[in-house]
Amino acid sequence: MNASADLPLAPAGDSTSQASDSAVWHHRAFCRIALPVRAPSKGIWQREAASVVLSMEAGEGVALPTGKCVRLLLMHLFDLAVRGKSPMIEIGDDPAAVAQRIGLETAGAKLREMQEQMGRLLATRITVAWDGGPALSVFDARGRRGAPAAWRSAVRMNARFQAGLAENAVALDRGVLTALAESTLALDLYAWLASGPAENDAAQPSVLEWDELRQRFASVSSQPVDFRAGFEQAVMQVQQAWPRFASVMRDDAVEFRRVAAPARVAELAPPPPKQAEAPPPVLAELEPPDLDDVELALQAELESELMSEPDVEPVLEPEPEPEPEVEAAAPAPAEGSRQMMRQTISLKSHLTGLPQVIWLGRANGRDNVVIEVTPGGRYDPETTTVIALEPVALQVVGGLYTRDFERVAAWAAANRDLIDDWWDSRLQDFEEVASRVKKVPAPAWR
């Protein structure tokens, strides 16, 4: 797929009026590119990418709306307009109720910040054009006269913009938005991913180069290395809250693919009624043959495995000459097993850029890919943290501080191909591994 192409969009149609309360309707043009993260020095901001041109011009004496609040508030206003099917949007008289609705704190400084951002938003002239269409104002100009009020119970949307809102509406999950509310980049990434194909569509992956991603989502002052580190972290945050996509981080681009809905959705259906008419004698008759069949099948399977099992004795015998590169990098096993030394290698800080040491192991019949982390170069089970990498990076044993875990997870995402190759025994030598290790992304991503 072309690097600038978007995931295919599933049109909302008339289903918006019957949507459940868990959905938040957003405009697809605003899903494609991000609003400003920080206010520019001038009261004018514009972004053009993905066939969308988005412009913002602040009212007189008012700063532009920025950050997570403006994103959540704009989604809330669009959702009210879609459900109400009217340009007049009834916001309500209680700011705390709105804050609770969009997943923000309902008192204190956070509530005051939301109120300030709402005032900025409604005093700003926002225009948007997409797919070669005309530029449309989001809000009616009459609502922007004078200084912004402390709070408005209602606002009028531009009639032309509101008329096409339903057919361009994208359903976002309210719970996911609440989980990601503290990260503007994660909110932007989720909105774009969720505007992709319906869950059963067999869509092609979307591949975006890093420059294209920066044009869509980065702040003006963001450096490429900082943006990349932050974006990789946002990918992990979204995947934890909404595991409906897979991603592959490449040096030149990122590949995204939607995946099917998790199987747990089926568990929410009511269980079928019990069949009381099934008599116990029938079950008693069926049980012995079933158990016999299972026992016979298991016995045959075990016999087959034993007969086909290769002779592992030579593998277990210690070798006179251990492999130098693996021996130097492997932990010192308690029993002196050279087989263990051949199975595990350590990657030090000068290779990974991490303060900890990463240990890569072989699968040895295990399904879930894991890596191990120790504070120093000596392998000690009591100080080892085990991290499972599928479906998302999770600490299984031990515990790293949040910041350390995030950096290790970012390193694992950048080196996933290498980790899998060693795990599946496609690599044999330490030199092969060392030549492919990528250092952890820069830490200054916020």
Side-chain angles (χ1 to χ4, degrees), residues 32 72 154 169 256 387:
R32 291 186 186 177
L72 295 171
F256 298 94
I387 298 178

Side-chain angles (χ1 to χ4, degrees), residues 333-404:
E335 302 298 330
S337 170
R338 286 174 180 167
Q339 184 182 10
M340 175 64 72
M341 297 177 71
R342 290 194 299 271
Q343 296 297 313
T344 309
I345 61 172
S346 63
L347 303 177
K348 306 293 179 59
S349 298
H350 69 281
L351 290 174
T352 64
L354 296 166
Q356 301 85 7
V357 175
I358 302 292
W359 301 86
L360 304 185
R362 304 291 195 189
N364 289 332
R366 295 176 292 176
D367 294 329
N368 297 322
V369 181
V370 300
I371 60 173
E372 296 179 286
V373 185
T374 58
R378 181 177 178 272
Y379 187 89
D380 183 357
E382 295 185 358
T383 61
T384 298
T385 297
V386 180
I387 298 178
L389 303 184
E390 294 178 352
V392 295
L394 295 173
Q395 298 191 60
V396 180
V397 177
L400 295 171
Y401 289 111
T402 300
R403 183 59 176 161
D404 291 333

Side-chain angles (χ1 to χ4, degrees), residues 237-299:
Q237 289 176 305
V238 176
Q239 199 159 33
Q240 288 178 345
W242 191 68
R244 298 289 304 280
F245 72 98
S247 63
V248 177
M249 301 287 178
R250 305 198 316 229
D251 289 339
D252 60 334
V254 183
E255 178 180 324
F256 298 94
R257 183 189 296 272
R258 291 287 299 272
V259 298
R264 64 180 177 83
V265 174
E267 298 174 2
L268 299 178
K274 295 182 179 180
Q275 297 181 358
E277 66 275 12
V282 176
L283 295 177
E285 281 181 17
L286 294 176
E287 188 173 0
D290 285 347
L291 291 176
D292 289 343
D293 291 343
V294 171
E295 290 174 356
L296 290 173
L298 289 175
Q299 183 178 2

